[in-house]
Amino acid sequence: MSFVVIRTMKKVLIGALAVAMAVQSAFVIPDAVFGVEEAPTDETNYVENQLIVTFKDNVNNKEAANIVAFAVSEELIRENRGNVPSIAELKALNTLRKIKIEKNVMLVKLGVSLDEMTVAEEIEKNPDVETAQPNYCYEAITGSKTAAGTDQRKTEQWYLDYIDAPEAWKLIEQNKKKSGKAGGKTVTVAYLDGRGVMKAADKQSYEMSVIDTVTGGNKGIVKPIAVDVSGGESNRTQQSVTTTADIIAGMDYACNHNARIITMCFGRRGYDAALERKVNWAAKEGVLIIAPAGDGGSTDAWYPSDYDSCLSCINTNQYKDAYSTACRNETSNYGDKKDISAPGTSINAADEKNNAISGTGTSYAAAVVTAAAAMVMYTDPKLPASKVKDLLVDTANDISVTGYDVYTGYGNVNAYKAVAKAAGVKVSNHD
């Protein structure tokens, strides 16, 4: 499978509010940070001769095949390709496969080579089609890793104190004793990875090890599912590790296995209507979607992070001054579509072979947020995902600039305050 070489632009009003706050505190923030200048469009990077088409609910397979064949025929005629195959011949050349749960979302493989965007536009002209687009490719968000000695791994997990994880563990244990129960309900967490991890918990990614560390060695809090969305070795290149269709299939796998949290470690600068539709569907089904903000050090759009239904995570440093823009790691993306921050710099944990590794990147920040979310859900299993998302934001430690700001969102996640709120325990802002 060969890859060919879109980008469009959650919080405009909040961004404006942040500007006012910043001005009030005599702090100047560049206009570009607030999306005044729209990021350039990335309309390349998709799978050759493949489309994702969403048909109206009343369209059957035969009608769908006809719609695609007619659109291909129209494009061939427009390009003066000579003897254009008949509709029946084109139907035989093209293949349509339903994408899991959504019965009328199909992966279309074109039997002739044409410009994918142009064919998608032609298909969308049909009133029985809701959307048509290329099958986009996504980059891995792996950050950087270096070897760490065993002693270093044990003694330098600085990030646990920055989110008050030990206090959260203590409160969870106190709740167990108070209730007289063994514990809460284990939270199934699916980590979607494009680097070839197994569709089971028998091979952990580094990020899943971080989740294990932040939850205090798990203690029955998390049931991890590592979901491979790479589509096989032949589908991966240095630039691209997964596609829209594979991510949708991975999300279905996670939902079918009762995942309450889905965390993704990949992204692209271009908007993807099919994936946003899937993310919105999962959110409505009660799943919390968490994604890294990206490691480009810019305010560029980054998806799925920037979708409203996603909790977008910025990477923060081991800062000394909580009210400094230096709290954010300079490699982390930021901007008015990012939600929350978490430590993602020099995060010591273990790789799939249990080697001590120190990593830096927004995927590790997302893993930290995922762990905090899991502890909240474990504490109060009845909390819907949307409320968990709000709770994490409401209890975050305010950093960088007072209130919401584009550098760190609503602040650094605080596991203890979040768990306390879920448990109905009152804590002051200074606790």
Side-chain angles (χ1 to χ4, degrees), residues 323-338:
Y323 288 94
S324 165
T325 56
C327 292
R328 177 186 66 87
N329 186 290
E330 62 181 6
T331 65
S332 175
N333 283 354
Y334 58 107
D336 59 9
K337 293 187 179 181
K338 311 304 186 280

Side-chain angles (χ1 to χ4, degrees), residues 118-326:
T118 305
V119 178
E121 291 170 1
E122 187 65 34
I123 292 174
E124 279 192 334
K125 291 178 182 178
N126 192 294
D128 287 325
V129 173
E130 292 187 0
T131 62
Q133 65 172 70
N135 186 14
Y136 293 118
C137 298
Y138 285 76
E139 305 170 18
I141 305 178
T142 58
S144 60
K145 300 188 190 75
T146 57
T150 302
D151 291 339
Q152 180 186 20
R153 176 183 162 190
K154 291 179 179 179
T155 61
E156 294 190 8
Q157 291 170 337
W158 65 270
Y159 56 98
L160 298 179
D161 287 331
Y162 269 61
I163 65 166
D164 292 338
E167 289 81 358
W169 306 336
K170 184 178 180 180
L171 183 54
I172 288 172
E173 290 302 315
Q174 287 174 346
N175 280 344
K176 288 182 183 180
K177 293 178 181 179
K178 185 177 179 180
S179 66
K181 297 179 181 178
K185 185 177 180 180
T186 300
V187 179
T188 300
V189 174
Y191 203 93
L192 272 58
D193 200 312
R195 292 166 288 179
V197 296
M198 303 298 289
K199 281 187 176 177
D202 60 346
K203 184 180 180 183
Q204 283 199 147
S205 67
Y206 174 83
E207 291 85 352
M208 290 178 70
S209 174
V210 174
I211 294 172
D212 188 72
T213 300
V214 176
T215 52
N218 199 331
K219 300 178 180 179
I221 294 172
V222 172
K223 176 185 176 181
I225 304 176
V227 184
D228 178 10
V229 293
S230 64
E233 287 290 335
S234 62
N235 288 10
R236 299 204 302 274
T237 68
Q238 286 186 333
Q239 293 76 32
S240 305
V241 295
T242 188
T243 68
T244 305
D246 290 328
I247 297 168
I248 290 174
M251 292 181 69
D252 273 341
Y253 182 92
C255 291
N256 287 336
H257 286 75
N258 303 312
R260 292 207 63 199
I261 302 174
I262 293 177
T263 303
M264 308 187 198
C265 64
F266 39 75
R268 70 187 303 271
R269 289 178 294 181
Y271 173 74
D272 185 335
L275 183 57
E276 182 179 31
R277 186 187 185 102
K278 185 66 179 181
V279 166
N280 290 341
W281 170 85
K284 288 180 181 178
E285 290 294 309
V287 180
L288 178 59
I289 313 295
I290 298 175
D295 296 335
S298 75
T299 59
D300 280 0
W302 191 254
Y303 300 100
S305 158
D306 286 8
Y307 298 133
D308 288 343
S309 296
C310 278
L311 186 60
S312 175
C313 306
I314 297 168
N315 168 16
T316 51
N317 296 308
Q318 189 175 2
Y319 53 83
K320 294 182 180 180
D321 178 5
Y323 288 94
S324 165
T325 56

Side-chain angles (χ1 to χ4, degrees), residues 71-86:
V72 171
S73 177
E74 286 293 311
E75 190 56 31
L76 288 171
I77 293 171
R78 185 177 292 109
E79 293 188 7
N80 296 315
R81 293 284 187 98
N83 293 325
V84 176
S86 66

